Amino acid sequence: MRAMVLDGPGQPLRLAELPCPVPHAGQLLLAVQACGVCRTDLHLRDGELPDAVWPLVPGHEIVARVAGLGPGVRGWRQGQRVGVPWLGWTCGHCRFCTSGRENLCVQACFTGYQLPGGYAEYTLADARYCLPLPETPAPEHLAPLLCAGLIGYRALRMAGDAGRLGIYGFGAAAHLITQLACGQGRAVYAFTRPGDGASQAFALSLGACWAGGSDAPPPEPLDAALIFAPAGALVPLALRHLDKGGCVVCAGIHMSDIPGFPYAWLWGERSIRSVAHLTRADGQAFFEAIRQAPPRTEVRVFPLEQANEALEQLRRGAFQGAAVLRVAGDEAAWTAE
Ligand SMILES: [Zn+2]
Ligand SMILES: [Zn+2]
């Protein structure tokens, strides 16, 4: 099979021919159809994340078809459409796993990081962490939901019932969560890089009531702010615009250092928190939440072998929405079955 392999930090991905994997007990063999390109993959390639197991095949927004079942797998059938998110394995018995917080499991393993990812024609996944997916829309439109959508959804839930919601960093997650938040009746204030009129227009087209540069104040105080951009300087900026009792939610896995700020900005029961990974319950709740009105996904599609180009365009902010690798082209062969 063809796969894009990352040999170590700072290196470009390399197109490789690898043996097709064989599913072990509890695993699904998956024929990858599309895989989203996440900012986390960029952090991985840049060597900004510890604990990577080199060499690795990245990719944790996988839309696939079941191509084989390992021994003991129940509840899945050949050809079924399946999604593989970031959380790939947990121990099941640590203090976090046993208290509904498996996202914080001390031994957790993640897809496309310690476990095989989706920048490949085939991959393996523990069946217990896979999500059944609907037959529509097309794989490239479903893929961004599996991280940008899911992590964004968890971040949105951490914002509680905030009616005035700021969103910093208008990329893949923001473009999905804006639609969801607006559908819930919240007012969304979108902050982009200063001067990025295209992203601001994009945010307004998705339902945001206001869009501006991250250096501009919103027209009214915010009840919560979600930060999807990896820039620590945004944290005190967002904090300054919070109403009393508001919360800044940092949703990225990596961020540059957060500059100091006066205590008065935090006073008034404002808070800053991070969101780490996701639980399986988040996955189920998210797909349930969007079943009636799925968000529109704006995608730029690349063939598998152009993964490096996709990452560079993501770094440059060269497109709106999400980047997706299209892996297998013969979707018709599956749906005809
Ligand atoms: Zn991700
Ligand atoms: Zn655990």
Side-chain angles (χ1 to χ4, degrees):
M1 68 164 186
R2 292 179 311 138
M4 294 300 286
V5 176
L6 199 48
D7 290 310
Q11 299 191 34
L13 288 148
R14 165 176 65 83
L15 181 64
E17 284 284 339
L18 301 178
C20 187
V22 176
H24 296 290
Q27 289 184 320
L28 294 174
L29 172 65
L30 300 170
V32 180
Q33 298 187 291
C35 185
V37 176
C38 177
R39 185 164 288 280
T40 296
D41 302 336
L42 200 51
H43 293 313
L44 250 181
R45 205 194 70 174
D46 290 347
E48 290 169 332
L49 302 183
D51 308 325
V53 178
W54 307 105
L56 60 84
V57 174
H60 57 269
E61 299 181 284
I62 304 172
V63 177
R65 295 279 182 186
V66 175
L69 286 75
V73 173
R74 303 267 180 278
W76 294 93
R77 58 181 161 73
Q78 193 82 8
Q80 187 173 352
R81 189 181 253 188
V82 52
V84 187
W86 173 240
L87 183 74
W89 187 86
T90 56
C91 77
H93 53 72
C94 73
R95 62 193 179 280
F96 298 108
C97 282
T98 52
S99 60
R101 296 178 292 167
E102 64 179 0
N103 58 311
L104 303 179
C105 173
V106 292
Q107 294 183 68
C109 294
F110 300 100
T111 309
Y113 188 22
Q114 293 97 12
L115 300 171
Y119 287 18
E121 289 177 312
Y122 289 90
T123 193
L124 298 175
D126 187 319
R128 297 170 300 169
Y129 296 83
C130 294
L131 291 160
L133 293 180
E135 283 297 317
T136 55
E140 55 267 34
H141 287 283
L142 273 174
L145 302 180
L146 286 153
C147 182
L150 265 172
I151 302 278
Y153 182 64
R154 186 174 174 85
L156 180 63
R157 293 217 288 189
M158 295 302 171
D161 58 1
R164 298 166 298 179
L165 185 72
I167 297 185
Y168 286 79
F170 212 83
H175 99 284
L176 297 170
I177 295 314
T178 292
Q179 298 173 61
L180 206 61
C182 292
Q184 294 171 341
R186 305 177 197 243
V188 172
Y189 300 81
F191 296 84
T192 70
R193 290 177 200 184
D196 186 355
S199 292
Q200 291 164 19
F202 182 50
L204 294 171
S205 78
L206 295 173
C209 65
W210 177 91
S214 56
D215 53 348
E220 50 183 331
L222 306 170
D223 299 310
L226 313 183
I227 301 186
F228 292 114
L234 293 173
V235 174
L237 272 181
L239 191 60
R240 263 190 103 171
H241 300 315
L242 283 189
D243 205 348
K244 284 188 283 189
C247 183
V248 174
V249 182
C250 304
I253 194 169
H254 175 83
M255 201 181 236
S256 55
D257 287 352
I258 300 171
F261 55 85
Y263 176 61
W265 296 3
L266 187 62
W267 174 247
E269 300 197 344
R270 295 172 180 87
S271 59
I272 302 171
R273 68 166 301 161
S274 66
V275 159
H277 320 305
L278 73 148
T279 65
R280 282 173 281 181
D282 290 327
Q284 287 150 12
F286 172 65
F287 280 99
E288 181 58 30
I290 65 168
R291 200 159 51 90
Q292 298 298 339
R296 178 165 73 84
T297 50
E298 180 84 13
V299 294
R300 179 162 292 186
V301 179
F302 299 83
L304 174 64
E305 54 274 17
Q306 283 182 21
N308 286 306
E309 175 64 17
L311 285 169
E312 278 319 307
Q313 290 198 19
L314 175 64
R315 186 195 302 282
R316 292 201 310 270
F319 54 84
Q320 302 296 342
V324 177
L325 303 179
R326 191 75 169 89
V327 180
D330 59 345
E331 173 71 359
W334 293 98
T335 48
E337 277 179 7

